[in-house]
Amino acid sequence: MDWYQLARPAIFAIDPEVDHKLVGTGLKIFNDHPQILKKLFYTRKRENLQVKIKNLTFDSPIGIAAGFDKKAEFYNSLGGLGAGFVEIGSVTKHPQEGNPKKRVFRLTEDQGIINRMGLNNVGIEETKRRLKNHPAQIKLGISIAPGHDLESDQMIAEMIDDVKEIHEYADYIALNLSCPNQVGVTVLQQLDILKPLLEGIAALGIDEPIFGKFSNDIDTDELIYNLHELDGLLDGIILSNCSVKRDNLISHNQVEKGGLSGKPIFAQSMFLTKTLHNEFPDMPIIYSGGIFTPEDAKLALDTGATLVEVYSGFIYNGPELIEKINRYLSEQKLLEKI
């Protein structure tokens, strides 16, 4: 048992959102000097882990999902812990406080998390300022979401404008089409809304790849049909966002409303990845959902993912998880050559 497993009971005694804020405060200290964390955690680049998507080269296929660094405060520090990329946000045009607290709940027995944060963030302008003042030293995705209380046409117009405003600071753009914690967002997955959104972004003529993040609960046939109809308007997809389902859970916190992440959504995220990879073998897929071990990450890549995001596993298994995954994947690739 490593040090984090020994300390976890004390860490988990703290409210999850308070715990996350404390961790973020610590990581923020190193954001301009991530090399310090690289030395402390013995992280390093491995050439055999490089992944290319469009015009981008990622030093590792393992990254951090949106929602961990919502306010663009410690992305470089996460790179210092071994992440090949970090997806910040989601970011909305105007700052948002999100939903009332308490709004994050651990499901320890299920290795899951339920959150109903509600897209709290500092807004496009402040996010841009932070990225300008603290340039990214790793590949950076920026997750874009619509603001509160907007009609469909307003969401489309706002998100197009947000992409226009911030794309130069991103290596890729992730469109949050499926947040379950803000009313109305999931309608962005519907073809009649998604297509004009993507057409509007395409008209901007930007170079950064555009990924769409879809729900863990989405109907697979509908998603396949929609992607065929979109005809190349997306450069890739992210599978998947949180779930509102509560199947086969044992933790008492299962009664809380919000999006479920972690191990309980692993099987469905894997199913979506396999199904979509079989249908669109050339489409990059960023896997997200329940990666807790190096073996989990390898399975996601073998199933068809191009990149893999961690979040809940990082919380449950500690800051050394990414380097452990990177080392394992690198060793597996070396063994395959023997």
Side-chain angles (χ1 to χ4, degrees):
M1 183 177 289
D2 62 25
W3 69 268
Y4 186 81
Q5 295 302 316
L6 290 171
R8 199 176 77 178
I11 295 171
F12 275 26
I14 303 171
D15 176 84
E17 192 168 352
V18 174
D19 176 28
H20 188 84
K21 186 173 182 179
L22 292 172
V23 170
T25 299
L27 289 172
K28 187 177 177 180
I29 294 171
F30 302 99
N31 199 47
D32 291 328
H33 305 285
Q35 63 273 13
I36 296 174
L37 292 177
K38 290 180 180 180
K39 292 180 180 180
L40 287 173
F41 287 88
Y42 302 100
T43 62
R44 63 185 182 88
K45 293 182 181 180
R46 296 169 172 85
E47 289 188 8
N48 66 346
L49 291 186
Q50 287 188 345
V51 175
K52 293 187 177 181
I53 296 179
K54 203 174 178 181
N55 58 340
L56 301 176
T57 299
F58 296 80
D59 288 329
S60 164
I62 309 304
I64 301 292
F68 198 84
D69 188 5
K70 283 176 172 285
K71 301 178 180 180
E73 295 178 301
F74 44 82
Y75 40 90
N76 288 326
S77 295
L78 294 170
L81 296 177
F85 64 101
V86 175
E87 204 169 288
I88 64 166
S90 291
V91 184
T92 57
K93 176 168 288 296
H94 304 291
Q96 295 190 165
E97 292 295 325
N99 293 322
K101 301 176 182 179
K102 183 176 180 180
R103 53 192 183 179
V104 187
F105 307 87
R106 301 186 189 95
L107 284 71
T108 307
E109 297 88 348
D110 300 294
Q111 293 189 300
I113 294 171
I114 289 174
N115 91 84
R116 50 174 182 262
M117 298 293 287
L119 296 176
N120 57 309
N121 71 101
V122 295
I124 285 286
E125 288 304 318
E126 177 61 17
T127 301
K128 284 172 57 178
R129 187 189 70 80
R130 293 180 182 189
L131 295 175
K132 181 178 181 179
N133 291 340
H134 306 278
Q137 299 178 38
I138 59 166
K139 290 294 181 287
L140 195 70
I142 300 181
S143 176
I144 301 295
H148 277 297
D149 300 324
L150 300 178
E151 299 295 332
S152 297
D153 58 340
Q154 294 174 314
M155 288 194 287
I156 291 170
E158 183 174 280
M159 292 178 72
I160 293 170
D161 190 56
D162 288 346
V163 172
K164 180 180 179 181
E165 287 294 315
I166 206 167
H167 74 91
E168 65 182 289
Y169 296 96
D171 291 294
Y172 71 89
I173 296 292
L175 302 175
N176 187 343
L177 311 170
S178 50
C179 175
N181 298 318
Q182 180 172 293
V183 175
V185 177
T186 57
V187 303
L188 292 168
Q189 298 175 110
Q190 298 174 10
L191 183 61
D192 61 334
I193 299 173
L194 180 55
K195 191 169 185 178
L197 169 62
L198 295 176
E199 287 173 339
I201 293 172
L204 298 175
I206 67 175
D207 294 327
E208 294 78 16
I210 304 296
F211 284 77
K213 188 169 187 176
F214 294 92
S215 171
N216 190 262
D217 303 325
I218 195 168
D219 180 84
T220 310
D221 292 336
E222 178 186 359
L223 177 55
I224 290 173
Y225 176 82
N226 288 352
L227 290 174
H228 278 296
E229 291 296 308
L230 291 171
D231 192 27
L233 287 171
L234 278 173
D235 296 297
I237 55 178
I238 304 173
L239 300 172
S240 60
N241 214 325
C242 302
S243 172
V244 297
K245 296 180 180 178
R246 300 291 187 267
D247 299 333
N248 303 314
L249 300 177
I250 60 175
S251 171
H252 68 279
N253 278 335
Q254 66 177 279
V255 300
E256 298 293 342
K257 294 181 180 180
L260 172 66
S261 62
K263 218 49 173 169
I265 71 168
F266 178 78
Q268 180 63 12
S269 289
M270 199 65 67
F271 168 76
L272 288 170
T273 298
K274 181 178 181 179
T275 304
L276 271 294
H277 177 65
N278 288 340
E279 185 73 20
F280 305 97
D282 297 324
M283 176 176 284
I285 297 174
I286 302 179
Y287 178 93
S288 183
I291 299 297
F292 276 59
T293 68
E295 291 79 9
D296 290 341
K298 186 174 187 302
L299 180 59
L301 292 168
D302 290 344
T303 300
T306 312
L307 301 173
V308 174
E309 294 179 338
V310 299
Y311 189 142
S312 299
F314 192 70
I315 292 170
Y316 275 89
N317 290 335
E320 296 179 337
L321 175 62
I322 303 173
E323 174 60 17
K324 289 178 181 178
I325 295 175
N326 285 336
R327 184 168 59 248
Y328 176 82
L329 293 176
S330 180
E331 290 171 352
Q332 291 297 306
K333 285 180 176 290
L334 291 174
L335 287 173
E336 290 169 4
K337 293 182 179 181
I338 297 177

